[in-house]
Amino acid sequence: MHLFNTAISRPRFLAAIAFCAVGLGLTVLSFAGAQPRPANGGKEGAALTPQQSLEQLQQSSGNALSAQVSGKTGAYSFVRAAAGSVIVSADKAASAKSRALSFLSNHGGLIGMTGAEQTAVSKGGAPAEGSELRMVKDQKDALGFSHVRLNQYYKGLSVFGAQVVVHMNDAGITAVNGDFAPGLALSTVPAVTKDGAGEIALATVRKGASDMTASVNKTELAVYPQGILEANGAASRLAYSVEVAGPKGSEQVWIDAQSGAVLVRIPLHKTAINRTIYSPNYDPANPDLFVQRREGDPPHPAPFVNNLYDFAGHTYNLYSSGFGFASYDGFDKAMISVYLINQNCPNAYWNGQSTNYCPAFDADDIVSHEWSHAYTEY
């Protein structure tokens, strides 16, 4: 149990996670000395390697840059300037989209883009061979930072899970992060038909199930970048994303468009995370007493209940997707949060079985901090 500073700022969720990750032995950031793989494979017309791109940026800007190498692609998945500085300056009179694309046209080698892909970005089109980036969102936050999200496409097809985000302020580009699938080279002409893929997906879902009412909701042809999603270095595939709805929920079944093999099944409903919010206290001997919200329940009238629920979920998802932990014990143990008023207030703490919060302590960075104590303990 510990006293938590009530003056802590709300929008520091990732900072709180990064701080507590040290106790878990996790490498949140590596620095410029990291050695990414030459993501472009030495192909003719390739841009600088990720490491060369980073070194060039540091030399030209004179600023120290923090960087993280993606174990999935071998390129950088996160590069940022120190607080108060920028990676490169940019014309604040230009739109956020223009500044983002200009940065990537000059420094896309950081994320594994080829020279042809960078040239195509600068011209606002798609290369004859290679990937393009299309803006899906331009958001400006309350601190004045702009964030431009760009999804990767290959010969007009969406590359599943591949998105790059460029962050900036009025002075210039402050960071870039995300996943870009480098070196894509595959046929976009399927051997399996769209209907055939749907039939394979249906047969897969129905296999071993007594209920045969499952149906196909949507089928789309896309690129499934196995190296990004599984981090196993496998080649990317032309594949169908088939959304199948059944009595127990929906799932996305990926079918290899050349061989008909099932690549992966992704549930589209909650299957693991298990949150329960209690107030004013929690009695393990009477787990149904004082329950305010359980997993899957609609939002509660009290905002603090929803805050504890949502921010616990954000913490679960970050540790799960970033580090492979299924809840704080690694086996999807239930996450119990308690909004209380007792002799321990004002405070927020982890007591070995639940995270506990006094009034005004339901902020995102506090919730993630307390749950990180649970992860550290286990």
Side-chain angles (χ1 to χ4, degrees):
M1 189 179 301
H2 66 287
L3 185 65
F4 203 100
N5 183 0
T6 57
I8 193 165
S9 170
R10 290 182 64 92
R12 294 182 181 173
F13 171 75
L14 289 177
I17 287 292
F19 175 81
C20 291
V22 174
L24 289 167
L26 302 175
T27 300
V28 178
L29 287 178
S30 57
F31 291 90
Q35 301 292 321
R37 298 191 299 272
N40 296 316
K43 295 180 181 179
E44 183 179 353
L48 297 176
T49 66
Q51 186 183 10
Q52 290 169 339
S53 296
L54 185 66
E55 290 173 348
Q56 183 186 70
L57 272 173
Q58 291 195 132
Q59 291 170 4
S60 62
S61 68
N63 295 327
L65 304 178
S66 301
Q68 177 178 332
V69 178
S70 170
K72 304 171 183 179
T73 68
Y76 289 111
S77 60
F78 183 60
V79 177
R80 69 165 183 171
S85 63
V86 296
I87 299 176
V88 294
S89 58
D91 181 8
K92 67 178 182 180
S95 67
K97 176 183 178 182
S98 295
R99 283 180 281 166
L101 293 178
S102 176
F103 173 76
L104 292 172
S105 69
N106 290 309
H107 307 290
L110 285 171
I111 60 173
M113 296 181 73
T114 66
E117 289 166 344
Q118 289 180 238
T119 300
V121 165
S122 67
K123 295 181 178 179
E129 293 291 334
S131 297
E132 62 175 312
L133 290 169
R134 301 180 187 177
M135 190 180 81
V136 292
K137 191 173 184 180
D138 172 8
Q139 178 185 10
K140 191 166 187 177
D141 63 28
L143 298 177
F145 285 82
S146 293
H147 314 275
V148 177
R149 298 180 182 273
L150 303 126
N151 284 354
Q152 183 179 358
Y153 285 78
Y154 177 74
K155 296 184 179 180
L157 297 177
S158 173
V159 181
F160 181 59
Q163 183 180 88
V164 178
V165 190
V166 182
H167 312 268
M168 67 199 76
N169 58 21
D170 286 344
I173 307 301
T174 58
V176 58
N177 74 284
D179 282 311
F180 180 88
L184 291 180
L186 65 155
S187 170
T188 55
V189 180
V192 177
T193 65
K194 182 177 179 179
D195 289 342
E199 292 172 2
I200 295 170
L202 275 177
T204 300
V205 172
R206 290 171 174 172
K207 186 177 181 180
S210 58
D211 192 298
M212 303 296 285
T213 61
S215 59
V216 173
N217 280 349
K218 182 171 62 175
T219 303
E220 294 181 344
L221 188 64
V223 174
Y224 183 81
Q226 288 185 300
I228 280 185
L229 298 173
E230 280 85 13
N232 57 10
S236 297
R237 295 283 187 267
L238 181 70
Y240 287 101
S241 163
V242 185
E243 185 178 310
V244 178
K248 296 183 179 180
S250 300
E251 62 179 284
Q252 188 181 56
V253 185
W254 283 87
I255 307 296
D256 190 310
Q258 307 299 357
S259 68
V262 177
L263 297 176
V264 69
R265 297 171 62 178
I266 303 174
L268 299 180
H269 56 279
K270 295 184 182 297
T271 58
I273 186 172
N274 182 9
R275 296 162 288 181
T276 305
I277 312 301
Y278 290 85
S279 187
N281 57 57
Y282 165 61
D283 178 6
N286 298 282
D288 293 326
L289 191 64
F290 303 124
V291 172
Q292 302 300 321
R293 187 176 178 184
R294 296 185 189 275
E295 188 64 43
D297 285 351
H300 193 276
F304 63 81
V305 171
N306 300 322
N307 285 344
L308 297 185
Y309 182 91
D310 292 340
F311 300 150
H314 295 172
T315 308
Y316 176 99
N317 289 334
L318 179 63
Y319 279 120
S320 175
S321 62
F323 308 110
F325 296 137
S327 190
Y328 60 90
D329 70 336
F331 296 97
D332 279 320
K333 193 173 183 69
M335 300 177 76
I336 297 171
S337 302
V338 186
Y339 192 83
L340 46 76
I341 302 175
N342 62 20
Q343 69 278 8
N344 295 316
C345 289
N347 201 1
Y349 55 91
W350 159 254
N351 62 9
Q353 63 181 3
S354 64
T355 56
N356 304 269
Y357 310 88
C358 293
F361 280 77
D362 55 318
D364 52 2
D365 52 350
I366 296 177
V367 173
S368 63
H369 179 105
E370 299 310 332
W371 276 117
S372 292
H373 281 296
Y375 281 84
T376 302
E377 178 178 320
Y378 275 79

